[in-house]
Amino acid sequence: MKAAPFEYVRAGSIGEACEVLQREGDAVKVVAGGQSLIPMMAMRLVRPGWLLDINEIAALKFVAMDKDAVRIGACTRQSTVERDQELAARVPLLRQALAWVGHIQTRNRGTIGGSIVHADPCAELPLVARVLGARMVLRSTAAARTVEADAFFSGPMMTATDANECLEEVQWPAWGERRTGSAFTEISNRHGDFAMVSAAAQLSLGDDGRCVRAAFGLGGMGQTPLAFPQLAQRLVGTRLEDEIVKSVAHDAAAQSDPGSDLFATAAYRRHLAGVLAARVISAAHAQAGSKG
Amino acid sequence: MTTQFRYIGKHRRTKEDPRFVTGRGRYAADIALPGTKHVALVASPHPSARIVSISTDAALAAPGVLTVLTGDEFCARTDPLYVGVDAPKVTRYALARGVVRYAGEWVAAVVADTRALAEDAAELVEVEYESLPYVIDPEAALAPGTHLIHPDHGTNVLYRRKFVWGPVEEAFAKADHQLAFRATWGRSSTVPIETFGVTARWDPVAELLDVWASIQMPKYPDQTARALRLPGNAVRVHFDVDVGGSYGVKRGIKHTVLVGYLAKKLGVPVRLIEDRLENMRGGDMHGPDRFFDMQVAFDRDGTIRGMKMRAVDDVGAYAGRSPLQLGKPVGAICGPYQIHAIEYEPTSVMTNKTPQEAVRGFGQSPTNFAIERAMDRVARQLGMDRIELRRKNLIRRDQFPYLIPSGSSYDSGDYHTVLDKALEASGYPALVRMRDEARLAGRLAGIGVATCLEPSGGNASFELLFNPKNETTTWMDSCLVRVDLSGSITGVMGTSSSGQGHETLVSTVVGEILERDPATIRVIHADSLNALPSNSPVGSRMAIMLGGAAAGAARKIRDALVAIAAHNFECSPEDLEYRDGNVGIKGAPSKMLSWDQLVEIAHRKFHKMPPGLDPGLQAQFVWEVPTGGGVPTQDGRVQMYPCYAFEAHVVYVEIDPDTGKPSIRKYVCGHDCGVMISPDIVHGMTYGGIAHGIGASLYEKFAYTEDGQLASGTFMDYLIPSSMEVPDIHIVDHCTPSPLTTFGQKGSGEAGYLGAPAAIANAINDALDPLGASIDTLPMSHLALWETITKATKM
Amino acid sequence: MSEELYPIEVEVNGVQRTARVPARLSLVDWLREDLRLTGTHVGCEHGICGACSVMLDGEPVRSCLMFAFQANGHRVTTVEGLAQPDGSMSVLQDSFCQAHALQCGYCTPGMLISAQGLLNTNPRPTDLQIREAIGGNLCRCTGYQQIVDAVKQAASRLSKETAS
């Protein structure tokens, strides 16, 4: 399984990378961690004319704490993010999701940006991006633009990134509410496998124990990872009683249109979605509640 | 039991481990001969098609390409590969000729300077196909009027026979109860982490083909030579190649004939290392794909009166030995139970799928699964405890040797004790309480018990049983031991190893007999030209056969040393005692010849040698499998394997009722393989066998789409269990020695795998029982479990 | 038309290696075929089995999922580089022998890399942490039991060494 031949360029800066993209357009595939791209090249499912390596661009490797968000450079390794304690305090869903992403070895090499741009509808980081409303900064030779998660993921393995653009950083909103809890779970065949269905939730409680803010989403249930802001609104103001949680979870599953494959039928996925959505909302609730 | 041994049965480091932990293993892909060229395959995308044309021009013009070989030339110049049953029209070659019969079948071979260039060129080979009808389902393949995989053979059935042993109809007529069900074993295989690889080099002056391969196969050099139309001594297989796991399947005979042919044709060394895609789809290493229609007749007190077993196995589009995987279980067809009337109807059928190869146990694990599911179903119907039912029917320790209806005699065993030990080690009463509490808390929890046999010794009389034209009853093995002039000992074995620790086995046994430290004994692998005959490590036979041969050769050397001393002391051997390699007169400590002195006499001092004793100090031992040589009776009874190891598994599982996700929480295996020559090695293989069984029962399947495509052809879809899926496993040993072997050892290479799927299936079913649900199809995937639960709870 | 070659400089097992490699040559193939460091193995070439594991700048990665040129300027450690400076086996390698944590040896180099990576950052791993650390290394021989035992043993031995 040797990749088909390609031309290789190692960009030293984001500017250089953008120049290559501008020049060669569709013929270029950007390689960061390579954990998703290189297997596809080995199987010759993907055969770029050009491979643009952005691993050596130092400016793409950073974790920066802003007031309302954490900004992560596109080439930051997943394992770096996983180990960052301050980040875990500000955007806890990232560490929770990363525990489900592949294996230690793949996280040592795989990048935050790579997973986002790969846009697998079953992947964990895109789901977190949708649930939190992450913002993707795309750079080209001409300019930089910021695209919200809702608009960024356009289909399975498809994003709003133009052929001449490179993802530069991902901005992850950090919630300021004191009593915030979050949870991530998924069902996969084996530890580290692609999820059949995944679920993520984050919510905040007021001092009286009522929900003041909520967000949740499902992966593996459609063409892109799904967020349910309107259903989440139904949780606000409630005490997150079992029936309400189950009802919201059930409706989220019912609203989705999952596919069938070797391991999961649409019916199974829909069932899992209801179960997992309820579980993460309850777990997020418990975590928020534990914060005095 | 092992206190009488000095080295046998002790925890000792193996000889093999040091080279592997330092990265000094020498596997097929590590061998780099100068000037080697590389093969990539062109495979059929269709499950069934006529090859209209093949255009190789573009491929030949690609950079670095030496040749593109197709079936027309290859099949005309080589002979078809061996088929284990009488089916001369089912011909099999490495490359298709005229038609393709499964998606993934090799159609052309490209040889180029590098593997990458060969793959580039393979994409340029243009094959025009005309699709033909195909059949994927084995029952459809059996139906009249269906598409014939090999039209000249006239049917898709490769083998079918109904064996009736004992008064079956009478048993069924007189029994209080009957039950019937189907048990289905999904297509899985051993899938070693190393794929098959082979390098061949032809020397035109010596007229010799050298072969280095990742091989575990009886008669491999002979079959290679035969297919290439070479005399046997024109092929030299190097058995000192390390094999990265096999567990039966590494029989790359088609790869080898292909590469051998290319090497001869091109005059350069040629190498084929399967990539994973080629391996999964076109390597012909799938495993049993079988369903059993079971009928059991039993009395209200739990006595099993009779059993009818109809087994249909889908071997894929071609057959090598694969149909015989229905034959080996004949040797343990009633499992460990006293069942006196058995009807067994095996059918081997072809479909347009990747062919099968020998998988660990050669069909015994699927059979054990079916038998154990039957036992649990009987217990359930009677409202009887499953363990009590087994106790009642298990062969008792005072009944050995025990002759089973199909003609095999079980050598020894103490099944009740091993079962008791496993139950005790599992804390069974506490386990039951834990299960019951889990159930009260709304969880699905179950305990599974399986008591299964591991036939060992490799007397493959199923070959003759299934094909009377194949009059083969010789299943020998051998060992050469030599002591050199310096007094160092070397053992020589004549086959390859794939992780079973044969070098440790031989050195331990030789050290035991000669009373010399095994750490100082070197064991090497001969090649096929200078090896003594061997039947390869199959059928859990090497501890018995190679161990026995090594012991036999070592004994001859010991006897020679005693004879030399007797001659020099002018006394009789009975007056002497042998200790640590020195020989002295009993009761006269000063009259002793040391090891070094004896070795010197043997090698250099002919004037001091007893007449008739060969100079030098070496011995070979070649022997037939104990109880071998038997020929089947008219009704198909024959002694099969000589020694029967036994395993009792106790497994606790929980299933998340909301997701169908299973989880093995406790795993205990009671294991009795007689005397263990190296306990660490035996335990290791048992753990591995159980892990393998976990895969087969919960995760692994070569799944096919309706249009005949392999849907699980990568490691993303073919799910091998990792360290997170395999729990801690606790093994409890017991030892009932075999009366047939040198030290009482039985074979154990298939341990764990032969009982794990049965035990896990029983545990899952116990967990589902409160719902009134059951599942008898493997693998029991998350989806399958959820669907089973959902169906039951809807009713 | 031959493929263009790219110059690389990689520190492999402590030694600076320079080479000119085709773009599509994977790191594992370069190590094995060009440098003849055949201790690292190929099992799947699509990043699942872990037999190809090496350390990149001290952290375990899958070398089948890197091209050789990507290692330029970095440090690679293979199983051949795990030995002590005097050439003797590392404590972990020795523990693997003591516990018989291998049979065919094919997954072993990858297991050692992953396990060593764990011990380098977590000297007192729990059983679960050990299993997670090797969760991306598939083995068909051992059922993982004796591997977990070996890593525990090595951790214990190393902590005694540190203490003394």
Side-chain angles (χ1 to χ4, degrees), chain A residues 85-107:
Chain A
Q85 299 288 52
E86 201 186 339
L87 197 162
R90 301 205 64 215
V91 187
L93 253 184
L94 274 176
R95 177 185 279 180
Q96 288 167 322
L98 282 168
W100 296 89
V101 175
H103 299 280
I104 289 169
Q105 295 183 25
T106 64
R107 300 198 293 274

PDB file of all heavy atoms in Angstrom, chain A residues 85-107:
ATOM      1  N   GLN A  85      -3.472  21.858  31.272  1.00  0.00           N
ATOM      2  CA  GLN A  85      -4.387  21.944  32.412  1.00  0.00           C
ATOM      3  C   GLN A  85      -5.239  23.198  32.360  1.00  0.00           C
ATOM      4  O   GLN A  85      -6.436  23.163  32.656  1.00  0.00           O
ATOM      5  CB  GLN A  85      -3.594  21.940  33.731  1.00  0.00           C
ATOM      6  CG  GLN A  85      -2.780  20.691  33.965  1.00  0.00           C
ATOM      7  CD  GLN A  85      -3.659  19.491  34.300  1.00  0.00           C
ATOM      8  OE1 GLN A  85      -4.617  19.155  33.586  1.00  0.00           O
ATOM      9  NE2 GLN A  85      -3.344  18.827  35.384  1.00  0.00           N
ATOM     10  N   GLU A  86      -4.611  24.307  31.983  1.00  0.00           N
ATOM     11  CA  GLU A  86      -5.371  25.566  31.964  1.00  0.00           C
ATOM     12  C   GLU A  86      -6.474  25.484  30.912  1.00  0.00           C
ATOM     13  O   GLU A  86      -7.599  25.926  31.122  1.00  0.00           O
ATOM     14  CB  GLU A  86      -4.418  26.728  31.646  1.00  0.00           C
ATOM     15  CG  GLU A  86      -4.982  28.077  32.091  1.00  0.00           C
ATOM     16  CD  GLU A  86      -4.108  29.233  31.643  1.00  0.00           C
ATOM     17  OE1 GLU A  86      -2.906  29.000  31.359  1.00  0.00           O
ATOM     18  OE2 GLU A  86      -4.628  30.371  31.571  1.00  0.00           O
ATOM     19  N   LEU A  87      -6.125  24.889  29.795  1.00  0.00           N
ATOM     20  CA  LEU A  87      -7.099  24.736  28.728  1.00  0.00           C
ATOM     21  C   LEU A  87      -8.248  23.855  29.198  1.00  0.00           C
ATOM     22  O   LEU A  87      -9.420  24.124  28.927  1.00  0.00           O
ATOM     23  CB  LEU A  87      -6.406  24.130  27.507  1.00  0.00           C
ATOM     24  CG  LEU A  87      -7.102  24.241  26.153  1.00  0.00           C
ATOM     25  CD1 LEU A  87      -6.093  24.005  25.051  1.00  0.00           C
ATOM     26  CD2 LEU A  87      -8.228  23.237  26.009  1.00  0.00           C
ATOM     27  N   ALA A  88      -7.893  22.784  29.925  1.00  0.00           N
ATOM     28  CA  ALA A  88      -8.924  21.851  30.397  1.00  0.00           C
ATOM     29  C   ALA A  88      -9.887  22.548  31.336  1.00  0.00           C
ATOM     30  O   ALA A  88     -11.059  22.218  31.418  1.00  0.00           O
ATOM     31  CB  ALA A  88      -8.276  20.657  31.082  1.00  0.00           C
ATOM     32  N   ALA A  89      -9.381  23.554  32.057  1.00  0.00           N
ATOM     33  CA  ALA A  89     -10.259  24.288  32.972  1.00  0.00           C
ATOM     34  C   ALA A  89     -11.188  25.214  32.200  1.00  0.00           C
ATOM     35  O   ALA A  89     -12.341  25.417  32.579  1.00  0.00           O
ATOM     36  CB  ALA A  89      -9.419  25.083  33.964  1.00  0.00           C
ATOM     37  N   ARG A  90     -10.711  25.765  31.100  1.00  0.00           N
ATOM     38  CA  ARG A  90     -11.509  26.759  30.371  1.00  0.00           C
ATOM     39  C   ARG A  90     -12.420  26.134  29.323  1.00  0.00           C
ATOM     40  O   ARG A  90     -13.536  26.578  29.124  1.00  0.00           O
ATOM     41  CB  ARG A  90     -10.577  27.786  29.721  1.00  0.00           C
ATOM     42  CG  ARG A  90      -9.719  28.483  30.773  1.00  0.00           C
ATOM     43  CD  ARG A  90      -9.260  29.850  30.346  1.00  0.00           C
ATOM     44  NE  ARG A  90     -10.365  30.757  30.166  1.00  0.00           N
ATOM     45  CZ  ARG A  90     -10.394  31.714  29.227  1.00  0.00           C
ATOM     46  NH1 ARG A  90      -9.401  31.864  28.384  1.00  0.00           N
ATOM     47  NH2 ARG A  90     -11.439  32.511  29.132  1.00  0.00           N
ATOM     48  N   VAL A  91     -11.934  25.114  28.638  1.00  0.00           N
ATOM     49  CA  VAL A  91     -12.772  24.418  27.645  1.00  0.00           C
ATOM     50  C   VAL A  91     -12.691  22.923  27.946  1.00  0.00           C
ATOM     51  O   VAL A  91     -12.005  22.172  27.245  1.00  0.00           O
ATOM     52  CB  VAL A  91     -12.310  24.702  26.199  1.00  0.00           C
ATOM     53  CG1 VAL A  91     -13.292  24.101  25.192  1.00  0.00           C
ATOM     54  CG2 VAL A  91     -12.160  26.206  25.946  1.00  0.00           C
ATOM     55  N   PRO A  92     -13.375  22.485  28.992  1.00  0.00           N
ATOM     56  CA  PRO A  92     -13.236  21.088  29.437  1.00  0.00           C
ATOM     57  C   PRO A  92     -13.671  20.055  28.406  1.00  0.00           C
ATOM     58  O   PRO A  92     -13.152  18.947  28.375  1.00  0.00           O
ATOM     59  CB  PRO A  92     -14.130  21.006  30.689  1.00  0.00           C
ATOM     60  CG  PRO A  92     -15.019  22.204  30.627  1.00  0.00           C
ATOM     61  CD  PRO A  92     -14.289  23.256  29.877  1.00  0.00           C
ATOM     62  N   LEU A  93     -14.576  20.425  27.534  1.00  0.00           N
ATOM     63  CA  LEU A  93     -15.056  19.457  26.548  1.00  0.00           C
ATOM     64  C   LEU A  93     -13.942  18.947  25.642  1.00  0.00           C
ATOM     65  O   LEU A  93     -13.995  17.821  25.151  1.00  0.00           O
ATOM     66  CB  LEU A  93     -16.143  20.081  25.663  1.00  0.00           C
ATOM     67  CG  LEU A  93     -17.581  19.606  25.902  1.00  0.00           C
ATOM     68  CD1 LEU A  93     -18.506  20.241  24.883  1.00  0.00           C
ATOM     69  CD2 LEU A  93     -17.708  18.094  25.849  1.00  0.00           C
ATOM     70  N   LEU A  94     -12.922  19.757  25.424  1.00  0.00           N
ATOM     71  CA  LEU A  94     -11.839  19.322  24.534  1.00  0.00           C
ATOM     72  C   LEU A  94     -11.101  18.120  25.100  1.00  0.00           C
ATOM     73  O   LEU A  94     -10.884  17.135  24.409  1.00  0.00           O
ATOM     74  CB  LEU A  94     -10.860  20.481  24.283  1.00  0.00           C
ATOM     75  CG  LEU A  94     -11.244  21.408  23.133  1.00  0.00           C
ATOM     76  CD1 LEU A  94     -10.270  22.575  23.044  1.00  0.00           C
ATOM     77  CD2 LEU A  94     -11.284  20.655  21.816  1.00  0.00           C
ATOM     78  N   ARG A  95     -10.723  18.222  26.366  1.00  0.00           N
ATOM     79  CA  ARG A  95     -10.015  17.072  26.955  1.00  0.00           C
ATOM     80  C   ARG A  95     -10.934  15.862  27.034  1.00  0.00           C
ATOM     81  O   ARG A  95     -10.506  14.723  26.790  1.00  0.00           O
ATOM     82  CB  ARG A  95      -9.462  17.418  28.332  1.00  0.00           C
ATOM     83  CG  ARG A  95      -8.792  16.209  29.000  1.00  0.00           C
ATOM     84  CD  ARG A  95      -8.342  16.500  30.399  1.00  0.00           C
ATOM     85  NE  ARG A  95      -7.070  17.213  30.395  1.00  0.00           N
ATOM     86  CZ  ARG A  95      -6.443  17.602  31.515  1.00  0.00           C
ATOM     87  NH1 ARG A  95      -7.000  17.373  32.697  1.00  0.00           N
ATOM     88  NH2 ARG A  95      -5.307  18.249  31.450  1.00  0.00           N
ATOM     89  N   GLN A  96     -12.187  16.104  27.353  1.00  0.00           N
ATOM     90  CA  GLN A  96     -13.124  14.987  27.453  1.00  0.00           C
ATOM     91  C   GLN A  96     -13.287  14.292  26.110  1.00  0.00           C
ATOM     92  O   GLN A  96     -13.317  13.078  26.023  1.00  0.00           O
ATOM     93  CB  GLN A  96     -14.490  15.476  27.959  1.00  0.00           C
ATOM     94  CG  GLN A  96     -14.485  15.852  29.427  1.00  0.00           C
ATOM     95  CD  GLN A  96     -15.728  16.611  29.829  1.00  0.00           C
ATOM     96  OE1 GLN A  96     -16.251  17.434  29.081  1.00  0.00           O
ATOM     97  NE2 GLN A  96     -16.196  16.355  31.033  1.00  0.00           N
ATOM     98  N   ALA A  97     -13.363  15.074  25.048  1.00  0.00           N
ATOM     99  CA  ALA A  97     -13.518  14.490  23.712  1.00  0.00           C
ATOM    100  C   ALA A  97     -12.246  13.793  23.280  1.00  0.00           C
ATOM    101  O   ALA A  97     -12.284  12.715  22.679  1.00  0.00           O
ATOM    102  CB  ALA A  97     -13.877  15.586  22.711  1.00  0.00           C
ATOM    103  N   LEU A  98     -11.097  14.411  23.586  1.00  0.00           N
ATOM    104  CA  LEU A  98      -9.829  13.842  23.115  1.00  0.00           C
ATOM    105  C   LEU A  98      -9.561  12.468  23.696  1.00  0.00           C
ATOM    106  O   LEU A  98      -8.861  11.651  23.094  1.00  0.00           O
ATOM    107  CB  LEU A  98      -8.674  14.797  23.438  1.00  0.00           C
ATOM    108  CG  LEU A  98      -8.565  15.978  22.474  1.00  0.00           C
ATOM    109  CD1 LEU A  98      -7.616  17.037  23.009  1.00  0.00           C
ATOM    110  CD2 LEU A  98      -8.108  15.507  21.090  1.00  0.00           C
ATOM    111  N   ALA A  99     -10.116  12.178  24.856  1.00  0.00           N
ATOM    112  CA  ALA A  99      -9.934  10.845  25.442  1.00  0.00           C
ATOM    113  C   ALA A  99     -10.487   9.755  24.533  1.00  0.00           C
ATOM    114  O   ALA A  99     -10.085   8.596  24.622  1.00  0.00           O
ATOM    115  CB  ALA A  99     -10.622  10.776  26.802  1.00  0.00           C
ATOM    116  N   TRP A 100     -11.390  10.136  23.650  1.00  0.00           N
ATOM    117  CA  TRP A 100     -12.015   9.172  22.736  1.00  0.00           C
ATOM    118  C   TRP A 100     -11.378   9.169  21.351  1.00  0.00           C
ATOM    119  O   TRP A 100     -11.760   8.370  20.500  1.00  0.00           O
ATOM    120  CB  TRP A 100     -13.510   9.501  22.576  1.00  0.00           C
ATOM    121  CG  TRP A 100     -14.282   9.362  23.822  1.00  0.00           C
ATOM    122  CD1 TRP A 100     -14.496  10.327  24.767  1.00  0.00           C
ATOM    123  CD2 TRP A 100     -14.985   8.198  24.282  1.00  0.00           C
ATOM    124  NE1 TRP A 100     -15.273   9.837  25.780  1.00  0.00           N
ATOM    125  CE2 TRP A 100     -15.590   8.536  25.512  1.00  0.00           C
ATOM    126  CE3 TRP A 100     -15.162   6.908  23.760  1.00  0.00           C
ATOM    127  CZ2 TRP A 100     -16.356   7.629  26.232  1.00  0.00           C
ATOM    128  CZ3 TRP A 100     -15.932   6.013  24.483  1.00  0.00           C
ATOM    129  CH2 TRP A 100     -16.506   6.376  25.712  1.00  0.00           C
ATOM    130  N   VAL A 101     -10.436  10.074  21.125  1.00  0.00           N
ATOM    131  CA  VAL A 101      -9.886  10.222  19.781  1.00  0.00           C
ATOM    132  C   VAL A 101      -8.733   9.251  19.586  1.00  0.00           C
ATOM    133  O   VAL A 101      -7.646   9.439  20.145  1.00  0.00           O
ATOM    134  CB  VAL A 101      -9.396  11.674  19.541  1.00  0.00           C
ATOM    135  CG1 VAL A 101      -8.723  11.795  18.180  1.00  0.00           C
ATOM    136  CG2 VAL A 101     -10.572  12.639  19.629  1.00  0.00           C
ATOM    137  N   GLY A 102      -8.938   8.221  18.815  1.00  0.00           N
ATOM    138  CA  GLY A 102      -7.867   7.304  18.450  1.00  0.00           C
ATOM    139  C   GLY A 102      -7.109   6.760  19.648  1.00  0.00           C
ATOM    140  O   GLY A 102      -7.683   6.364  20.659  1.00  0.00           O
ATOM    141  N   HIS A 103      -5.802   6.763  19.519  1.00  0.00           N
ATOM    142  CA  HIS A 103      -4.929   6.250  20.566  1.00  0.00           C
ATOM    143  C   HIS A 103      -3.835   7.259  20.855  1.00  0.00           C
ATOM    144  O   HIS A 103      -3.638   8.208  20.097  1.00  0.00           O
ATOM    145  CB  HIS A 103      -4.298   4.924  20.110  1.00  0.00           C
ATOM    146  CG  HIS A 103      -5.312   3.861  19.837  1.00  0.00           C
ATOM    147  ND1 HIS A 103      -5.888   3.117  20.829  1.00  0.00           N
ATOM    148  CD2 HIS A 103      -5.865   3.444  18.671  1.00  0.00           C
ATOM    149  CE1 HIS A 103      -6.762   2.273  20.288  1.00  0.00           C
ATOM    150  NE2 HIS A 103      -6.773   2.448  18.994  1.00  0.00           N
ATOM    151  N   ILE A 104      -3.116   7.012  21.928  1.00  0.00           N
ATOM    152  CA  ILE A 104      -2.046   7.930  22.328  1.00  0.00           C
ATOM    153  C   ILE A 104      -1.130   8.253  21.154  1.00  0.00           C
ATOM    154  O   ILE A 104      -0.759   9.404  20.923  1.00  0.00           O
ATOM    155  CB  ILE A 104      -1.254   7.319  23.502  1.00  0.00           C
ATOM    156  CG1 ILE A 104      -2.135   7.337  24.755  1.00  0.00           C
ATOM    157  CG2 ILE A 104       0.046   8.067  23.745  1.00  0.00           C
ATOM    158  CD1 ILE A 104      -1.584   6.534  25.915  1.00  0.00           C
ATOM    159  N   GLN A 105      -0.773   7.251  20.392  1.00  0.00           N
ATOM    160  CA  GLN A 105       0.150   7.483  19.279  1.00  0.00           C
ATOM    161  C   GLN A 105      -0.441   8.402  18.234  1.00  0.00           C
ATOM    162  O   GLN A 105       0.260   9.237  17.649  1.00  0.00           O
ATOM    163  CB  GLN A 105       0.502   6.156  18.619  1.00  0.00           C
ATOM    164  CG  GLN A 105       1.268   5.241  19.513  1.00  0.00           C
ATOM    165  CD  GLN A 105       1.633   3.986  18.785  1.00  0.00           C
ATOM    166  OE1 GLN A 105       1.721   3.973  17.563  1.00  0.00           O
ATOM    167  NE2 GLN A 105       1.838   2.921  19.511  1.00  0.00           N
ATOM    168  N   THR A 106      -1.729   8.229  17.950  1.00  0.00           N
ATOM    169  CA  THR A 106      -2.325   9.078  16.912  1.00  0.00           C
ATOM    170  C   THR A 106      -2.492  10.502  17.437  1.00  0.00           C
ATOM    171  O   THR A 106      -2.399  11.455  16.671  1.00  0.00           O
ATOM    172  CB  THR A 106      -3.685   8.526  16.427  1.00  0.00           C
ATOM    173  OG1 THR A 106      -4.623   8.540  17.500  1.00  0.00           O
ATOM    174  CG2 THR A 106      -3.533   7.113  15.903  1.00  0.00           C
ATOM    175  N   ARG A 107      -2.678  10.649  18.744  1.00  0.00           N
ATOM    176  CA  ARG A 107      -2.821  11.987  19.313  1.00  0.00           C
ATOM    177  C   ARG A 107      -1.467  12.691  19.429  1.00  0.00           C
ATOM    178  O   ARG A 107      -1.401  13.918  19.467  1.00  0.00           O
ATOM    179  CB  ARG A 107      -3.518  11.926  20.674  1.00  0.00           C
ATOM    180  CG  ARG A 107      -4.918  11.335  20.595  1.00  0.00           C
ATOM    181  CD  ARG A 107      -5.741  11.670  21.820  1.00  0.00           C
ATOM    182  NE  ARG A 107      -5.271  11.048  23.036  1.00  0.00           N
ATOM    183  CZ  ARG A 107      -5.591   9.829  23.451  1.00  0.00           C
ATOM    184  NH1 ARG A 107      -6.347   9.041  22.703  1.00  0.00           N
ATOM    185  NH2 ARG A 107      -5.139   9.372  24.613  1.00  0.00           N
TER     186      ARG A 107
END
